[in-house]
Amino acid sequence: MRSLRRRLSGRLRRAAPEPSYAFTVRRGLRVPMDDGVELIADLYLPAGPVEPQLPTIVVRSPYGRHGSLTHAPALAGEGFTVLVQSCRGTGGSGGSFRPQLDEQRDGMATHRWLRRRPWFTGTVATYGESYLGYTQWAVAGRMCRDDPGNAPDALCLNVTMADFGAVTWNNGTFSLGGSLGWSRLMALRGMRGALVRARLARRPDRKLAEAFDVLPLSRGDTAVAGHPIGWYQDWLAHERLTDDYWTRQSHTASVPDVTALVYMATGWYDIFLPWQLRDYARLAAAGRPPRLTIGPWGHSSEQSPFLAESVAFLKEHFAGTPAARPAPVRAFLTGAEQWRDLPAWPPPGTAAQRWYLHPDGLLDPAAPDGGSTRYTYDPDRPTPALGGPGLGPASGPVDNSAHERRTDVAVFRGPPLDHAVVLAGEPVARIRFRSTAASADVFVRICDVHPDGRSMTVCDGIRRIGGVGTVATDPRPDGEGYVELDVPLWPAFHRFAAGHRVAVQVSSGAHPRYARNPGTGEPAATATTTVRAQQEISHDGAHPSAIDLPVWTSTGAHAPPAAPEAPPSIDKEGSPDDIRIPCGDQRFGSRRRLRRAAVPDDRPGGPRRAAR
């Protein structure tokens, strides 16, 4: 029987009904900014009256004004007036494109201009995914606080976050795959046709794969694009997220100021997931919890119901149509392959349970007697990335069983479960760790070990110590040279079935998803010297290495699933200008949902373990 995930995919891709409204398109509108630069926009207008009146939707994009990312034809067909604007320096708009830096001032100027147009419908909703979502965060909190008369009335946010610096330098590690892959795509703007860009995004990119291995990192853009890319150089030069470069483009602090209605959608394998759910939590703490959907997809998946659910959300609040679902949060429970309706995220009844890492490879709620686990990390042969969150369509769970036989990966497994266990939240690994190198990364992954031996990814996370950007947050070593590291993992909603086992991996890299750590502590942009490091995980002391699992103990954990049917599909009206952002991990797997990826340097044996 086909899984629910396959049925969902098929439902969303099937032919869509005819749009309810005919519409016209006015192309090439010029929108003046405060500094005199003009940005180009297209306006989609329903051909006849719409009753009751729906919001005017604003979409601001650096990827062009046509294609599946804007969804403008589909939204106009539902009766919305839609303004699609190209960001500064893109799609014919004036000025230079500087990612993130100009979106607040340009977005605010656009909203003020919009409300003076004769076709304005009286309320404003913003819409879009990824960067198109960031442009919404850039204006929403600031305008709701300082200029409420021109602020948006609703936000529809998909796979996005309010601070792109946090994902670029994730806990001190540089997100090489996503950063260089996205820069590669954007560097092609105006140089090649849209079909070429789309083809590059869907196929493994040999040139990009080779550039991932270039040192120093500051030469990777030249290796893939033939010239330095200004913003990529800026990202590398600013390892500290406290630098003014990053703080002036972060809008996290203004998230609680958003008083508009908010709908969010994301996926368990999206690169922005942890931060998007923290944005959700900030709004919930302010007393304005968004509507939220979390599905079994990554950043570029066609399975997401974002378009259909956004339309239903806006029509419910502005046209009085009945609510589309009974609870504010709908989340897909992986492992059980079920949708669940929840009152909030994480669901009530979730509590942390600490499981300890033992020197014999056991993972258990009982504390160990002592000992240590050792492995060697060689940045010249870095531990490879295997699956996990990414920008491309291949994101998702993979079989780690071969990867776990590498000698640079320590593995800890619990006994077979005698009853099902559900994780619902953000696990945190607490690793007592030391390294012979000046700088080291700690990468932690949770897997679901099936009775047939497959070890399937659930979630993971990483943290660097000894880096330029981590000095302020690095814990002090104790008398034995160990540091106690908290490593937050990706949020998860996963059911481990009875008879399955919980596994935890600890390693020191996931290249090229995260750039390898050379080990010297030098600036990442210019480091070329590499140091082979001996890494050690301690099971001794007052705080032996462990992981806190957010276990859902409520009766809801075993309740019947929500209605399995996805929202009705709406045709996204793609065009030859469609693009998909390339994934840094493309060379490690195919597009199949569950796949066994070839693992470089797959050596038998496990990590060397010290005697107790």
Side-chain angles (χ1 to χ4, degrees), residues 505-522:
Q505 301 173 16
V506 181
S507 64
S508 289
H511 182 80
R513 177 177 160 197
Y514 300 108
R516 77 188 90 178
N517 189 335
T520 61
E522 299 173 293

Side-chain angles (χ1 to χ4, degrees), residues 528-569:
T528 56
T529 302
T530 59
V531 175
R532 186 179 171 97
Q534 305 301 315
Q535 321 288 48
E536 188 168 358
I537 302 164
S538 171
H539 310 287
D540 279 318
H543 303 286
S545 297
I547 188 163
D548 288 346
L549 300 176
V551 176
W552 192 22
T553 57
S554 166
T555 54
H558 306 289
E565 293 299 326
S569 174

Side-chain angles (χ1 to χ4, degrees), residues 389-411:
L391 285 172
S395 304
V398 297
D399 184 3
N400 288 250
S401 55
H403 186 77
E404 291 173 351
R405 293 194 294 269
R406 292 179 57 94
T407 59
D408 55 1
V409 178
V411 182

Side-chain angles (χ1 to χ4, degrees), residues 297-592:
W297 47 71
H299 193 75
S300 301
S301 174
E302 296 178 5
Q303 298 178 28
S304 172
F306 172 62
L307 171 60
E309 289 198 349
S310 294
V311 169
F313 175 76
L314 295 175
K315 288 187 175 182
E316 175 188 336
H317 287 283
F318 293 96
T321 59
R325 66 193 198 196
V329 176
R330 176 164 286 183
F332 191 85
L333 179 60
T334 60
E337 303 289 287
Q338 297 172 349
W339 286 100
R340 293 296 180 92
D341 288 323
L342 307 170
W345 180 261
T350 300
Q353 292 187 8
R354 181 160 293 182
W355 290 34
Y356 292 92
L357 282 57
H358 288 242
D360 59 357
L362 177 67
L363 179 70
D364 195 79
D369 295 328
S372 65
T373 299
R374 300 181 184 131
Y375 62 92
T376 300
Y377 175 72
D378 185 354
D380 292 330
R381 304 179 72 183
T383 312
L386 184 69
L391 285 172
S395 304
V398 297
D399 184 3
N400 288 250
S401 55
H403 186 77
E404 291 173 351
R405 293 194 294 269
R406 292 179 57 94
T407 59
D408 55 1
V409 178
V411 182
F412 306 88
R413 289 184 173 183
L417 297 169
D418 57 12
H419 64 276
V421 172
V422 176
L423 301 190
E426 190 172 285
V428 179
R430 307 190 187 278
I431 308 299
R432 190 166 183 254
F433 178 86
R434 68 182 176 186
S435 173
T436 58
S439 178
D441 295 345
V442 176
F443 179 84
V444 181
R445 169 170 284 179
I446 295 174
C447 288
D448 182 342
V449 182
H450 293 231
D452 62 5
R454 288 177 297 140
S455 183
M456 305 305 298
T457 308
V458 175
C459 61
D460 54 43
I462 195 168
R463 181 172 175 181
R464 176 165 294 184
I465 53 173
V468 170
T470 69
V471 173
T473 57
D474 283 347
R476 286 180 172 273
D478 61 21
E480 298 178 86
Y482 287 103
V483 293
E484 294 180 0
L485 287 177
D486 289 351
V487 184
L489 276 64
W490 245 241
F493 191 35
H494 183 80
R495 181 179 185 270
F496 293 84
H500 289 219
R501 301 200 288 173
V502 181
V504 170
Q505 301 173 16
V506 181
S507 64
S508 289
H511 182 80
R513 177 177 160 197
Y514 300 108
R516 77 188 90 178
N517 189 335
T520 61
E522 299 173 293
T526 56
T528 56
T529 302
T530 59
V531 175
R532 186 179 171 97
Q534 305 301 315
Q535 321 288 48
E536 188 168 358
I537 302 164
S538 171
H539 310 287
D540 279 318
H543 303 286
S545 297
I547 188 163
D548 288 346
L549 300 176
V551 176
W552 192 22
T553 57
S554 166
T555 54
H558 306 289
E565 293 299 326
S569 174
I570 297 176
D571 190 3
K572 298 177 182 179
E573 297 261 347
S575 80
D577 289 329
D578 288 355
I579 59 174
R580 290 192 180 279
I581 300 172
C583 173
D585 294 342
Q586 282 184 354
R587 60 177 174 164
F588 294 111
S590 72
R591 296 179 61 142
R592 289 176 294 170

Side-chain angles (χ1 to χ4, degrees), residues 23-37:
F23 57 87
T24 60
V25 183
R26 300 179 190 174
R27 301 197 184 278
L29 277 67
R30 295 184 174 273
V31 183
M33 298 295 103
D34 293 343
D35 61 353
V37 170

